[in-house]
Amino acid sequence: MIIDRREIERMLAAEGEAMQELFARAAAVRDETVGPVLYLRGLIEYSNICRKNCLYCGIRRENRSVARYRLTPDEVIAAARYAGERRFGSVVLQGGEITTEDHIACIESLVVRIKSLFPASPLGVTLSFGEQTEATYRRWFRAGAHRYLLRIESSSERLYRSIHPDDGLHRYEERLRALRALRRVGYQVGTGVMIGLPGQTLADLADDIVFMRDMDIDMCGMGPYVEAEGTPLVERCGPPPERDYRLAMALKMIAVLRLAMPDINIAAATALSSLSPDGRLDAVRCGANVVMPNLTPRRGKEAYRLYDDKSSAIDSRLLCERIGWGEWGDSLRFGKKNK
Ligand code: 5AD
Ligand code: SF4
């Protein structure tokens, strides 16, 4: 059944009982489609050095108050080994956007090392290092990465432009190019948006859902916009909606996306926990099936502040769910497409 855009917008407007029903329906669809299983990805925040200057992001290039770091290869490997020993099944290696050959080669060799850590059942490796050339994506894919996260942030070109500097480095077209390149190379492709941006309408959010369906994505990570110290977004674009609105809307987006794309992987984003201690748990209760416990060593974790109150502890209540221990937990949709 294809849910049309008007229906999507109607569901996103749900409140009270109708909203609770939406959540319950989405969780049931998740259970019936991808199964009542929560997959874990150990998140390793490799570096907060970034060439970009996104208006909303705490580690933007021009934020001088950030202490920049890069993990050593041994720190990354230790975190990945921990993920394997704890039987997480997969890791996500994430960091700012850097396009130097040195960086590309470092990531490439880290992927090779992570893949060889547990030869009998290698860890799944997801990368998230922003926009790169197709050749770079291919190198990392050949090294063993098989999933890539690159959020569109907003599928509305107008909104995308309003939250990024107009300097030629932050182009909507370029983001689309990168997403298409990832698909061509053969990755399971994840994207997502920020929810509750200044100037974002219900219609924009409905368009985001339609965009993800049209792009036929395999995975999604999306969460609320969270204020970030030292960033100019609010100054430039005005105040965002209330925190409660952002939180509820983020959960509704997850639920609606689950109904629109039942067989994809949807992550309970960390940003949810910045707005509510129950944020990620609620996301799982309304359709998400992936969580990413943070395994970054402390010296990095504190400096990798994309937004304020960034939490990393994983709620022990999440571990009461049925966990896909030791499994990659690949996107079911991707598997069907490539059969
Ligand atoms: N609030 C919420 N999410 C943010 N991100 C960056 N800054 C913020 C913020 N202030 C998200 C973006 C990016 C991901 C790495 O973090 O969506 O893609
Ligand atoms: Fe860099 Fe990503 Fe932050 Fe933009 S959102 S400044 S690309 S880390």
Side-chain angles (χ1 to χ4, degrees):
M1 180 195 57
I2 301 223
I3 307 171
D4 73 25
R5 199 185 156 296
R6 284 227 320 279
E7 174 67 6
I8 290 171
E9 209 172 316
R10 200 189 58 75
M11 289 192 284
L12 290 176
E15 279 175 39
E17 217 167 284
M19 180 173 81
Q20 297 305 327
E21 265 168 39
L22 168 67
F23 293 166
R25 235 174 86 211
V29 165
R30 186 260 330 269
D31 291 352
E32 287 157 19
T33 315
V34 291
V37 180
L38 192 58
Y39 295 105
L40 304 180
R41 323 270 186 237
L43 176 62
I44 307 170
E45 292 155 338
Y46 172 68
S47 169
N48 64 356
I49 303 168
C50 188
R51 68 179 184 139
K52 283 210 168 145
N53 217 5
C54 306
L55 301 182
Y56 46 84
C57 180
I59 64 171
R60 65 199 299 269
R61 190 181 67 223
E62 278 175 16
N63 191 354
R64 295 274 133 64
S65 64
V66 174
R68 304 288 166 172
Y69 76 92
R70 189 171 79 172
L71 298 183
T72 65
D74 287 345
E75 284 173 316
V76 173
I77 297 306
R81 179 171 291 121
Y82 178 87
E85 283 165 355
R86 293 286 303 268
R87 308 202 58 240
F88 284 9
S90 293
V91 291
V92 177
L93 198 54
Q94 181 168 70
E97 185 176 296
I98 298 292
T99 53
T100 59
E101 167 55 29
D102 179 58
H103 175 74
I104 294 164
C106 276
I107 301 306
E108 184 179 30
S109 74
L110 281 171
V111 173
V112 170
R113 278 183 72 185
I114 293 170
K115 292 302 287 188
S116 64
L117 274 177
F118 301 93
S121 58
L123 285 163
V125 177
T126 307
L127 296 181
S128 182
F129 289 100
E131 293 162 13
Q132 303 287 341
T133 64
E134 186 163 337
T136 297
Y137 288 147
R138 186 159 285 120
R139 261 172 86 177
W140 291 344
F141 188 78
R142 289 206 176 121
H146 74 301
R147 299 191 279 238
Y148 201 101
L149 305 171
L150 180 65
R151 290 186 177 179
I152 186 73
E153 314 298 356
S154 169
S155 67
S156 150
E157 188 165 355
R158 166 192 60 83
L159 209 52
Y160 190 95
R161 284 167 184 259
S162 83
I163 62 173
H164 293 101
D166 179 18
D167 60 357
L169 188 62
H170 301 73
R171 292 176 47 231
Y172 182 78
E173 257 312 310
E174 194 53 30
R175 184 61 57 104
L176 289 181
R177 184 228 26 104
L179 283 167
R180 294 189 194 111
L182 287 164
R183 166 64 28 87
R184 273 197 299 276
V185 171
Y187 285 95
Q188 292 175 47
V189 178
T191 192
V193 297
M194 283 182 289
I195 297 147
L197 290 163
Q200 189 179 43
T201 65
L202 210 60
D204 290 326
L205 291 165
D207 288 341
D208 288 339
I209 300 277
V210 172
F211 172 88
M212 291 190 268
R213 190 170 59 191
D214 289 347
M215 288 282 291
D216 195 16
I217 61 163
D218 306 298
M219 321 178 285
C220 176
M222 59 182 169
Y225 164 70
V226 181
E227 293 85 344
E229 213 186 298
T231 62
L233 185 77
V234 173
E235 205 174 287
R236 303 261 188 97
C237 302
E242 296 292 324
R243 293 166 77 96
D244 285 352
Y245 170 94
R246 280 180 265 160
L247 186 63
M249 193 55 77
L251 294 174
K252 286 190 271 185
M253 283 289 285
I254 289 173
V256 172
L257 184 64
R258 175 59 72 197
L259 297 177
M261 303 187 78
D263 54 1
I264 64 170
N265 279 346
I266 303 179
T270 314
L272 286 159
S273 300
S274 297
L275 295 187
S276 153
D278 291 342
R280 277 181 291 184
L281 189 63
D282 289 342
V284 169
R285 291 179 178 157
C286 65
N289 68 329
V290 169
V291 277
M292 306 182 359
N294 195 327
L295 302 184
T296 312
R298 180 136 74 239
R299 78 176 179 94
K301 212 189 280 191
E302 280 158 12
Y304 198 87
R305 277 173 65 97
L306 299 166
Y307 38 79
D308 300 345
D309 304 317
K310 190 162 162 281
S311 115
S312 59
I314 197 89
D315 192 317
S316 60
R317 288 171 299 169
L318 277 169
L319 299 177
C320 300
E321 307 285 325
R322 236 157 79 195
I323 306 287
W325 293 113
E327 292 176 54
W328 283 7
D330 278 337
S331 162
L332 179 63
R333 187 182 192 85
F334 184 85
K336 288 183 193 160
K337 270 188 296 200
N338 292 276
K339 239 204 321 258

